[in-house]
Amino acid sequence: METEFNPLTTAHIDIQLEQGFPEIRLAAEKIELWFQPVYELTTGKVLHNEVLVRWRDELGELRQPQELLAALQNTQLLNQLDRIVVEKSIELLSKQTNVKVSINLSNEIFEDQKFLPQLHTWLSQYQVSAKRISFEIEEEILWQKQSLVLLFMTELRMMGFYVVIDNFTGRFFSLFQIQEFPFSMLKLDRSFSRKNLSPVQKQLAIAIAYTTRAFQKQCVLKGIDDKLSLKFANDLGVRAVQGYSLGKPQDKPITFGLIGLLIVRIIAVLIVLYIFKSLIGIDIFPNRHAWEVIGDFIQSIFESK
């Protein structure tokens, strides 16, 4: 699932995780959904929110996603976590009709023969359209269980869901092979967003982005953390982008696009400047007009965080 996180804002509790996590079967209320937006590059609008997982321990502290997944890895509870996350997501969609989500699936869910019928039941129960939901499957998992996962992906598409191949590197499948897979979107691995890409890596990213367009698929570049990676995404011509500098994980879905976010930030800066200069009498930026400060602020929107 999620691999990006900010250790300064996520609690770490030094206890034996195995003692608490088996209770997950009876403690679905402890699982929290967080969200990170995926933005369309050309318009800045939100295409969907990727669903991320948080878990609160008995002290109410928020656990890092890596802790949760590591603790569940060998407990045969990952598909139970999938079920909890999926149902909570569908329930949320029934209450927020303008939201679309993308949900990560673990490698255990593909062997759960009861999951797809249950998925259909949830859609009927909450009266939610499958077209508002995408399911993300990692390239490596697809490679490890190809026949099983491809059948699963096909059934999801027949039900009306969108399918995303996540963390795509090109290590496991050729560009010719992926055209035959029943997916709608391909998320490039965040390694392609690094500043020091080799010429070979750049050419591979260009080839992947071109191929997805040729096959009429969507391509997303993850790990957008500064203006250089955003420029690279624009040069590639990918459909969408995702990263911490664009939108950090939040406990509610993000529905306003990058333009709306920019306006909110500008207003916030103006309010702060007004408070300090007019009410408190302190000029934070002497000899500079407020709009000069705003201009510099806009220029730094996509700087590294």
Side-chain angles (χ1 to χ4, degrees), residues 145-298:
K145 302 181 178 182
Q146 184 170 341
S147 59
L148 185 63
V149 176
L150 282 177
L151 178 60
F152 192 94
M153 292 169 63
T154 300
E155 293 187 11
L156 286 176
R157 291 293 293 135
M158 291 176 63
M159 294 175 67
F161 297 101
Y162 295 103
V163 177
V164 179
I165 298 179
D166 192 19
N167 295 330
F168 188 80
T169 62
R171 291 171 49 210
F172 302 100
F173 298 103
S174 69
L175 299 181
F176 178 79
Q177 285 177 296
I178 64 170
Q179 68 172 314
E180 301 178 351
F181 295 161
F183 72 98
S184 305
M185 178 180 289
L186 185 149
K187 279 190 173 183
L188 288 171
D189 187 79
R190 60 176 41 83
S191 62
F192 288 109
S193 300
R194 292 185 310 214
K195 296 179 181 178
N196 299 318
L197 282 181
S198 68
V200 173
Q201 290 173 314
K202 288 183 179 180
Q203 289 302 314
L204 178 58
I206 292 171
I208 295 172
Y210 175 82
T211 303
T212 53
R213 289 197 303 273
F215 296 153
Q216 297 184 331
K217 310 288 187 179
Q218 299 180 20
C219 187
V220 180
L221 183 61
K222 302 167 61 173
I224 303 297
D225 290 334
D226 53 41
K227 63 181 181 180
L228 292 178
S229 55
L230 186 63
K231 182 181 182 302
F232 182 56
N234 188 65
D235 293 340
L236 286 179
V238 298
R239 168 80 188 281
V241 287
Q242 180 181 20
Y244 265 50
S245 67
L246 303 176
K248 297 181 180 179
Q250 299 184 29
D251 59 357
K252 294 180 181 179
I254 292 86
T255 56
F256 52 87
L258 289 175
I259 295 178
L261 178 63
L262 179 61
I263 293 174
V264 169
R265 291 179 176 179
I266 290 175
I267 292 174
V269 171
L270 288 174
I271 291 174
V272 169
L273 292 176
Y274 175 80
I275 290 175
F276 274 87
K277 186 171 183 179
S278 300
L279 301 182
I280 303 179
I282 300 176
D283 192 351
I284 301 179
F285 302 100
N287 303 320
R288 298 192 67 195
H289 193 278
W291 287 110
E292 293 178 331
V293 178
I294 295 298
D296 291 343
F297 177 78
I298 294 175

Side-chain angles (χ1 to χ4, degrees), residues 12-215:
H12 173 77
I13 307 299
D14 188 17
I15 62 174
Q16 295 296 318
L17 297 177
E18 289 78 10
Q19 296 177 359
F21 281 109
E23 297 178 2
I24 191 173
R25 286 188 179 276
L26 302 174
E29 70 277 1
K30 292 184 179 180
I31 300 298
E32 296 185 10
L33 303 186
W34 283 50
F35 306 88
Q36 187 175 35
V38 173
Y39 292 103
E40 187 173 48
L41 186 58
T42 55
T43 65
K45 73 177 183 179
V46 176
L47 290 180
H48 62 256
N49 281 264
E50 180 180 352
V51 177
L52 309 175
V53 179
R54 299 290 188 269
W55 185 81
R56 291 193 184 274
D57 60 20
E58 295 180 354
L59 300 177
E61 298 288 349
L62 202 62
R63 289 299 186 91
Q64 296 179 6
Q66 285 85 346
E67 291 181 291
L68 174 62
L69 297 179
L72 295 182
Q73 195 65 50
N74 298 315
T75 63
Q76 297 182 336
L77 290 176
L78 281 175
N79 68 339
Q80 177 67 17
L81 177 61
D82 284 342
R83 283 170 167 264
I84 292 172
V85 171
V86 171
E87 183 177 10
K88 281 179 172 284
S89 299
I90 294 176
E91 182 181 10
L92 178 137
L93 292 178
S94 69
K95 300 174 182 177
Q96 300 191 33
T97 58
N98 61 333
V99 173
K100 295 181 180 179
V101 297
S102 183
I103 305 170
N104 296 275
L105 293 175
S106 72
N107 59 354
E108 293 183 3
I109 200 66
F110 306 110
E111 299 178 7
D112 185 349
Q113 297 181 357
K114 297 181 179 180
F115 176 72
L116 291 176
Q118 181 63 67
L119 189 54
H120 186 274
T121 299
W122 284 328
L123 291 180
S124 299
Q125 176 184 346
Y126 293 103
Q127 294 294 298
V128 170
S129 171
K131 295 184 181 296
R132 297 173 61 197
I133 303 172
S134 301
F135 286 105
E136 299 193 13
I137 301 170
E138 292 192 11
E139 178 195 19
E140 186 171 0
I141 294 176
L142 175 57
W143 177 74
Q144 291 171 348
K145 302 181 178 182
Q146 184 170 341
S147 59
L148 185 63
V149 176
L150 282 177
L151 178 60
F152 192 94
M153 292 169 63
T154 300
E155 293 187 11
L156 286 176
R157 291 293 293 135
M158 291 176 63
M159 294 175 67
F161 297 101
Y162 295 103
V163 177
V164 179
I165 298 179
D166 192 19
N167 295 330
F168 188 80
T169 62
R171 291 171 49 210
F172 302 100
F173 298 103
S174 69
L175 299 181
F176 178 79
Q177 285 177 296
I178 64 170
Q179 68 172 314
E180 301 178 351
F181 295 161
F183 72 98
S184 305
M185 178 180 289
L186 185 149
K187 279 190 173 183
L188 288 171
D189 187 79
R190 60 176 41 83
S191 62
F192 288 109
S193 300
R194 292 185 310 214
K195 296 179 181 178
N196 299 318
L197 282 181
S198 68
V200 173
Q201 290 173 314
K202 288 183 179 180
Q203 289 302 314
L204 178 58
I206 292 171
I208 295 172
Y210 175 82
T211 303
T212 53
R213 289 197 303 273
F215 296 153

